[in-house]
Amino acid sequence: ANLADTEARLDLQGGYDLNTRQLTARILGLEIPSLVSAQVEGNADPTRVDFSGSFKTGELGPIFNRYLKGPFETSAPGLEELALNGTLSADFALRRSPETLAVRGTLQPQEFGLKLQSAGLEITGGNGILPLSFSQGVPADRAPGEPLNGILYFSSVKAGPAQMENFPLRLLSSTNRLEIREFPPWRLAGGLIRITDLVATIEEEKPTLAARIRVEGIDLEKLTSELALTSMTGTLSADLGEIRYADQALSSAGQATISAFGGTTVISNIRLRDPAFSYRTLLGDIDFSGIDLYQLTRTFEFGEMNGILDGHIHQLRLFGTVPSQFDAALATRDGGRRNISVKALNNLSILSQGGLSAALSRGIYRFVDFYRYQKIALNCTLNTDVFRIRGTARPGSDDYLVYGGLRPPKIDIIAPGRDISFKEMLKRLSRIDRADR
């Protein structure tokens, strides 16, 4: 930050020994108007520092806008739109030696607020005491301090469509460890998100974070509306078990269950690598059963189909938002009504060798709106950019993505028969007709 045009006042009551280069401060005060005022006492020399004191900031909004916003524009793009308000004060003790660094104290926000619009994050009315205790190395001359208790109050916290209001957080801090045993529930789309047993630690200079998360009764229709997504009906619940962050990776020991489209989808083995980076990697397994194709295809305007679908997507790896690996299989059940519209056939043919549109517009086919099929089934794999798809709808063959009905007019869709670049497949998928009539 550029402080060239800023006045400061320094008060020292103490002494400095030129021979030993030791500073002894009974009072050391620093005041930069509208920025910070601090007062410390203690001793310092080239090998050891032992200070205790306090500081208080000015209003955080003007401080950030004047001194920090410019540097953020180049060093942390996206954070330049950060808006802050309120003030911070702290009491602290700092000790440093060649073997040890230890900081201990409390941070006290007053009417603290934060808003980051791009992330949908907003905090208002933050007050209270946040205890902190950090140590690096092994202090040889002083026992670890007693755990520190703290409490924070917030008017509201919003993260996207999720929200908490008027609640206290009770904290316990010991050396390199901060615990919050229970949060008030987050309200989201008619349901609740419950977070318990949050523990943040620093082990061998690496931060780790663990918590337990349960999701109860999220209404998918409300959620998709709040997120401006394609409208879906159903519910979302999850017992994610222990969520753990370590070595720049976030992992879950539990699973999420989505009840939608007449069936059930289970997401498990969820892992997120490098969550703080733009090109984060998401991994997991998806299993679905009993999906009603009529509900699914009507919702996403794919072209109407009837049938019940089961399948899985295992070893899924998303690089940013683009798949880079998966092993998938899906198949319709035998029995029941199994019809497929011309629009859906044309869209499915994009996955195959194409050319079906011309055939459907000739002869008897041009008078048919729906066709019966015996089975829809496929296996497909993706590894980096190599996409391989096999049609398993007809027993004993790897050729049929859609195996048509027994009576004419009969339509089959044949698998490509060769590996495809996934970039090419994405181009094909971009041609899918999802517009309604």
Side-chain angles (χ1 to χ4, degrees), residues 38-324:
Q39 184 167 297
V40 301
E41 61 181 34
N43 302 284
D45 61 37
T47 61
R48 294 182 181 274
V49 174
D50 193 344
F51 277 130
S52 61
S54 62
F55 72 82
K56 183 175 182 178
T57 71
E59 283 291 329
L60 295 174
I63 291 173
F64 179 79
N65 292 334
R66 180 176 179 182
Y67 299 110
L68 300 176
K69 193 169 186 176
F72 268 115
E73 289 179 351
T74 55
S75 63
L79 289 183
E80 70 273 8
E81 66 175 32
L82 180 68
L84 298 172
N85 62 270
T87 63
L88 294 174
S89 59
D91 299 303
F92 65 91
L94 168 66
R95 299 181 66 247
R96 182 185 64 81
S97 70
E99 300 82 20
T100 302
L101 172 64
V103 182
R104 183 177 171 86
T106 60
L107 185 67
Q108 299 115 36
Q110 289 95 40
E111 294 303 319
F112 175 78
L114 179 153
K115 186 173 183 179
L116 188 59
Q117 188 169 353
S118 61
L121 179 63
E122 184 174 3
I123 300 173
T124 61
N127 294 277
I129 298 174
L130 173 63
L132 297 171
S133 181
F134 171 77
S135 179
Q136 187 178 25
V138 181
D141 56 348
R142 191 175 299 181
E146 292 295 321
L148 300 172
N149 289 291
I151 188 167
L152 294 175
Y153 298 91
F154 294 94
S155 297
S156 70
V157 176
K158 298 179 182 178
Q163 182 173 347
M164 294 189 292
E165 292 182 342
N166 296 322
F167 62 92
L169 282 182
R170 302 186 185 278
L171 309 99
L172 180 65
S173 178
S174 54
T175 303
N176 296 350
R177 183 181 179 92
L178 181 66
E179 301 179 31
I180 305 175
R181 287 301 169 190
E182 188 167 3
F183 286 78
W186 292 79
R187 294 186 290 106
L188 174 63
L192 299 174
I193 301 175
R194 300 185 185 276
I195 303 175
T196 59
D197 300 328
L198 186 147
V199 178
T201 62
I202 298 178
E203 302 172 358
E204 298 180 354
E205 303 183 20
K206 295 181 180 180
T208 64
L209 180 70
R212 294 187 175 275
I213 300 179
R214 286 189 298 120
V215 179
E216 301 173 356
I218 302 297
D219 186 317
L220 287 180
E221 187 171 12
K222 291 183 179 179
L223 181 63
T224 51
S225 175
E226 292 174 357
L227 295 175
L229 300 174
T230 300
S231 179
M232 296 170 57
T233 59
T235 59
L236 167 65
S237 61
D239 185 352
L240 297 177
E242 184 182 68
I243 299 288
R244 183 173 179 82
Y245 175 80
D247 297 326
Q248 297 185 343
L250 191 68
S251 60
S252 167
Q255 63 184 31
T257 302
I258 302 172
S259 299
F261 307 118
T264 301
T265 300
V266 177
I267 306 172
S268 58
N269 297 323
I270 305 166
R271 291 153 290 157
L272 181 62
R273 295 175 182 167
D274 301 322
F277 293 90
S278 299
Y279 292 100
R280 59 190 66 87
T281 303
L282 177 65
L283 303 99
D285 295 325
I286 302 174
D287 293 87
F288 49 91
S289 62
I291 301 298
D292 186 329
L293 280 176
Y294 181 76
Q295 295 184 36
L296 179 68
T297 54
R298 289 271 293 183
T299 297
F300 292 101
E301 300 177 359
F302 183 83
E304 293 179 19
M305 302 168 64
N306 296 103
I308 303 299
L309 187 70
D310 304 310
H312 68 258
I313 306 172
H314 289 170
Q315 301 175 41
L316 174 64
R317 182 174 65 199
L318 295 175
F319 183 63
T321 59
V322 178
S324 60

